[in-house]
Amino acid sequence: MSSVLIHSLKGLVLGHPRRVSGKNMADLPQLGEGAFLLIEDGLIRKTGLQNERPERADLIIDGSDRFALPGWVDSHTHLVFAGSREAEFVDRINGLSYQEIASRGGGILNSAARLAEMSEEALLRDARIRLNEVIRSGTGAIEIKSGYGLSTESELKILRVIRQLKAESPIPIRATFLGAHSVPATYKANREGYIRLIEEEMLPAIAAEGLAEYMDVFCEKVAFSVAETQRLIEAGYKAGLKPKIHVNQFYSMGGIPMACSCNAISVDHLEVISNEDIEALQHSNTIATLLPSAPFFLNDPYPNARALLDAGLAVALATDYNPGSTPSGRMGFVLSLACLKMKMLPAEAINAATINGAAALEWEDELGSIHPGKRANILLTEKIPSLDYLPYRFGSDQLSEVLVGGKLFPLSQKG
Ligand code: NIG
Ligand code: FE
């Protein structure tokens, strides 16, 4: 048995055992000055105050002036991709819009063309570097989507890279199939043909190899209609994949009510939202996942987090790490944006980035808060004056240690 004791903490963020919603998101259960945390065999064993503190452990860490928190759960990323898109970044500075770039064959199609040229080994090498980088910045569990393949061969290539990352990474990973990210150029005049390719070729192959847990569709004017999205969600269910949907990034078209009626695990983006969308969410168990670094990077309006919270909904925060709209996987920066640009309180943002992210990956029982039996994926801050200091000091992770499965993850490691 191996054990770790972190003692004399300034604060220990326990968090909620399960998802939180609405006004309860402002409540963040903590133990104060002198708290300790005992980890055994990679799991949280015991928490308490100074007077109940165990004496022995294999590794003892002095937590004076520091806070311990659950690791971030990043429930929405596209971390497996080829190359980068800084030329489009400059095009946007020069006045082109993200949607104009996409309709000219740039954007997702640009990334798909590059990915087709790249070997599985090279993709894995780059993705592994990104994954290690985000673990060092505090991500303790992650979802990774395909979606830059847009052919059976390339979609499977991405999903196999994710399978390899799952096998070798110390943090847990969920895989999502996003073949319906865009209609590829070869099917431009034959959308029906591409949808049938997903239904008849991609999904059966993915199900046969057990390559994904979730099905995603980009439901948007530049991508798939609400009716097409619903059809694809149903096809996903038949292949054993539950829906998590990109929706309402640019337009509110009815995708949220449809996704809720299909019991989507989450609806993600929500930069644009209507009263009907909010009502549909209120009558569902679907998590509203916000990705504020995408509108930051695209200069778009931010999601109305306060309206969602006032409506009593469960909000999660994730990075959306991808080469087009968010070339960053830093959850710490997402928290700062949530506070600064969406008026979420630090406590709300921390709940959204931990337990509600876990709920958006159906991992509430294992991750997202510090309760006995959950995985010991833990963050230990630098010496900081208060928890609010974390999102306040934007751009700096303020972490002195990252523990994954109760083991210290090397913060200086490259690659
Ligand atoms: O979530 N909106 C759709 N997909 C990604 C970005 C895709 C890209 O531009 O490469 C997103 O923002
Ligand atoms: Fe995304």
Side-chain angles (χ1 to χ4, degrees):
M1 184 167 46
S2 75
S3 56
V4 183
L5 173 69
I6 308 175
H7 66 85
S8 308
L9 285 157
K10 188 175 178 89
L12 172 60
V13 176
L14 302 172
H16 297 266
R18 300 192 67 78
R19 70 176 66 188
V20 262
S21 52
K23 59 177 173 349
N24 292 334
M25 286 192 69
D27 170 43
L28 185 64
Q30 300 178 45
L31 293 177
E33 192 70 51
F36 77 85
L37 162 64
L38 179 68
I39 298 165
E40 274 177 10
D41 290 334
L43 300 179
I44 291 150
R45 173 88 171 98
K46 203 175 169 200
T47 59
L49 289 169
Q50 193 76 2
N51 53 353
E52 313 149 316
R53 167 187 153 182
E55 298 203 338
R56 265 191 268 270
D58 299 319
L59 173 66
I60 296 181
I61 300 173
D62 182 351
S64 299
D65 299 316
R66 301 167 206 274
F67 290 80
L69 300 95
W72 310 129
V73 180
D74 189 353
S75 63
H76 181 136
T77 84
H78 309 244
L79 180 132
V80 180
F81 58 82
S84 53
R85 305 223 304 262
E86 67 278 12
E88 294 177 7
F89 166 74
V90 176
D91 287 342
R92 285 193 298 102
I93 296 169
N94 282 322
L96 278 185
S97 76
Y98 178 74
Q99 293 173 82
E100 278 163 352
I101 292 168
S103 56
R104 292 175 180 201
I108 295 165
L109 299 184
N110 176 359
S111 287
R114 290 170 187 228
L115 189 135
E117 302 293 309
M118 207 161 157
S119 70
E120 196 170 315
E121 293 69 38
L123 266 181
L124 176 62
R125 185 198 56 217
D126 286 3
R128 189 186 280 136
I129 291 170
R130 289 181 203 119
L131 183 61
N132 284 331
E133 181 196 337
V134 302
I135 298 172
R136 289 196 295 271
S137 68
T139 296
I142 197 166
E143 181 254 21
I144 309 176
K145 300 173 194 297
S146 69
Y148 290 119
L150 310 182
S151 70
T152 307
E153 190 192 344
S154 292
E155 284 294 314
L156 291 175
K157 182 163 73 175
I158 302 172
L159 290 169
R160 289 182 186 131
V161 168
I162 302 172
R163 176 173 63 190
Q164 181 56 31
L165 292 173
K166 279 186 181 186
E168 64 181 47
S169 170
I171 68 163
I173 299 173
R174 293 278 204 219
T176 300
F177 169 56
L178 176 56
H181 200 184
S182 181
V183 176
T186 42
Y187 283 88
K188 204 169 174 193
N190 180 18
R191 302 175 65 79
E192 174 64 21
Y194 187 61
I195 293 172
R196 287 180 64 164
L197 184 75
I198 293 174
E199 291 171 331
E200 292 167 15
E201 202 175 281
M202 295 188 194
L203 281 168
I206 290 161
E209 288 190 51
L211 285 173
E213 284 81 39
Y214 299 114
M215 171 84 180
D216 197 345
V217 180
F218 186 19
C219 181
E220 193 56 61
K221 284 190 187 174
V222 288
F224 293 87
S225 70
V226 175
E228 289 168 340
T229 303
Q230 179 160 10
R231 174 175 161 186
L232 286 160
I233 287 175
E234 281 159 15
Y237 268 123
K238 286 195 193 117
L241 310 185
K242 296 180 192 172
K244 284 170 72 67
I245 303 297
H246 277 77
V247 71
N248 286 45
Q249 183 176 6
F250 305 116
Y251 297 97
S252 174
M253 318 188 296
I256 290 180
M258 180 278 295
C260 291
S261 73
C262 293
N263 295 316
I265 303 297
S266 67
V267 285
D268 302 34
H269 267 291
L270 282 49
E271 280 86 331
V272 178
I273 194 145
S274 71
N275 290 338
E276 293 73 52
D277 295 328
I278 290 180
E279 269 167 43
L281 282 163
Q282 284 174 313
H283 294 103
S284 76
N285 279 323
T286 303
I287 302 263
T289 300
L290 311 183
L291 314 164
S293 37
F296 167 77
F297 191 72
L298 300 180
N299 265 321
D300 281 337
Y302 288 87
N304 190 343
R306 288 260 54 100
L308 297 168
L309 291 166
D310 290 348
L313 299 172
V315 170
L317 288 167
T319 63
D320 200 16
Y321 194 179
N322 75 74
S325 70
T326 315
S328 159
R330 287 201 168 230
M331 285 295 283
F333 183 58
V334 167
L335 269 98
S336 295
L337 285 177
C339 297
L340 284 165
K341 303 294 182 185
M342 306 197 300
K343 298 195 174 0
M344 290 178 76
L345 295 167
E348 291 171 331
I350 291 171
N351 279 318
T354 54
I355 191 62
N356 283 5
L361 295 177
E362 299 178 285
W363 261 332
E364 282 160 280
D365 292 339
E366 277 186 59
L367 289 156
S369 55
I370 300 185
H371 289 93
K374 286 198 174 187
R375 284 189 196 227
N377 292 4
I378 306 286
L379 311 181
L380 188 63
T381 68
E382 303 273 12
K383 296 188 175 194
I384 57 173
S386 73
L387 213 47
D388 297 342
Y389 189 84
L390 269 189
Y392 156 84
R393 272 277 273 143
F394 78 91
S396 162
D397 294 321
Q398 299 294 301
L399 300 176
S400 67
E401 304 289 357
V402 168
L403 285 95
V404 180
K407 295 199 172 73
L408 292 173
F409 191 83
L411 296 186
S412 58
Q413 177 185 312
K414 289 279 169 275

